[in-house]
Amino acid sequence: MCATKVRQCVAPSRATTPPPPASLDRTDKAILRALQRDASVSNVALAAKVNLSAPACLRRVERLKQAGLIKGIVALLNPAALDAGMLVMIGVVLDRSTPDSFADFEKAAARVSGCMECHVVTGEFDYFMLVRTRDNDSFNRLHAEQLLHLPGVRQIRSFMVLKQVLSTTQFPV
């Protein structure tokens, strides 16, 4: 059975995010692009960048948040400066494709130290995880102490990132 179909069965409920506005105009798109580049910009500065008054800009930003287009505003940290410079991509194959095995794995994967992302995928693997750690030794400990004990895992393949060519949080708008 396809992992994607099993995962759909596990989903506890449908998202309740309101639908996006019927259409985004040029100003909405400019706001989204500007906030993706620097979300710490003040409302007054953002308004000036997109040629709006400050109150009109604030109303638009709030509308974009309510529509679910802006999920949150975060600070992007420097992993190397925080002693987590090694990035590892991990392919996981489960031994069973049942809703319970997927749910058990996902609950445990959310608790893996340094796990930044976990995705259900199609193809050879059921999941891909992105994990940040300090170095080879710390990854070996993580592998032995946590990854090998994830429930329902038949196979784990680790891919150490040698060079990060592109990493962005900016979505094309």
Side-chain angles (χ1 to χ4, degrees):
M1 182 181 282
C2 175
T4 304
K5 289 185 181 182
V6 171
R7 178 65 189 115
Q8 290 170 348
C9 296
V10 175
S13 65
R14 295 285 177 206
T16 56
T17 304
S23 64
L24 296 174
D25 64 18
R26 183 179 350 178
T27 304
D28 289 334
K29 290 178 182 180
I31 289 170
L32 292 173
R33 282 192 299 272
L35 288 175
Q36 284 189 106
R37 282 190 299 277
D38 181 8
S40 69
V41 66
S42 70
N43 182 60
V44 172
L46 178 61
K49 287 181 182 190
V50 298
N51 298 317
L52 284 177
S53 68
C57 183
L58 187 58
R59 280 192 301 274
R60 281 192 183 238
V61 169
E62 288 305 314
R63 182 176 52 82
L64 292 168
K65 286 179 181 177
Q66 288 175 354
L69 292 165
I70 299 173
K71 289 175 30 176
I73 296 175
V74 300
L76 300 176
L77 306 181
N78 179 347
L82 294 168
D83 218 12
M86 175 177 266
L87 180 62
V88 183
M89 296 180 193
I90 303 167
V92 177
V93 179
L94 298 184
D95 57 8
R96 292 182 315 274
S97 291
T98 66
D100 287 342
S101 64
F102 278 75
D104 291 345
F105 174 83
E106 290 172 16
K107 191 182 302 180
R111 294 188 304 264
V112 170
S113 302
C115 186
M116 305 296 293
E117 298 181 28
C118 183
H119 304 274
V120 175
V121 296
T122 61
E124 182 181 344
F125 297 101
D126 293 314
Y127 290 91
F128 266 107
M129 300 171 67
L130 268 64
V131 174
R132 284 230 172 248
T133 187
R134 183 176 51 251
D135 53 23
N136 283 332
D137 290 338
S138 62
F139 178 72
N140 284 335
R141 277 192 304 283
L142 176 77
H143 187 270
E145 295 170 6
Q146 294 184 43
L147 297 177
L148 290 178
H149 302 286
L150 289 171
V153 173
R154 175 168 35 111
Q155 182 181 36
I156 294 175
R157 289 200 185 153
S158 303
F159 306 89
M160 308 296 188
V161 174
L162 299 176
K163 177 182 175 186
Q164 189 168 313
V165 176
L166 173 68
S167 178
T168 184
T169 61
Q170 294 185 27
F171 188 82
V173 181

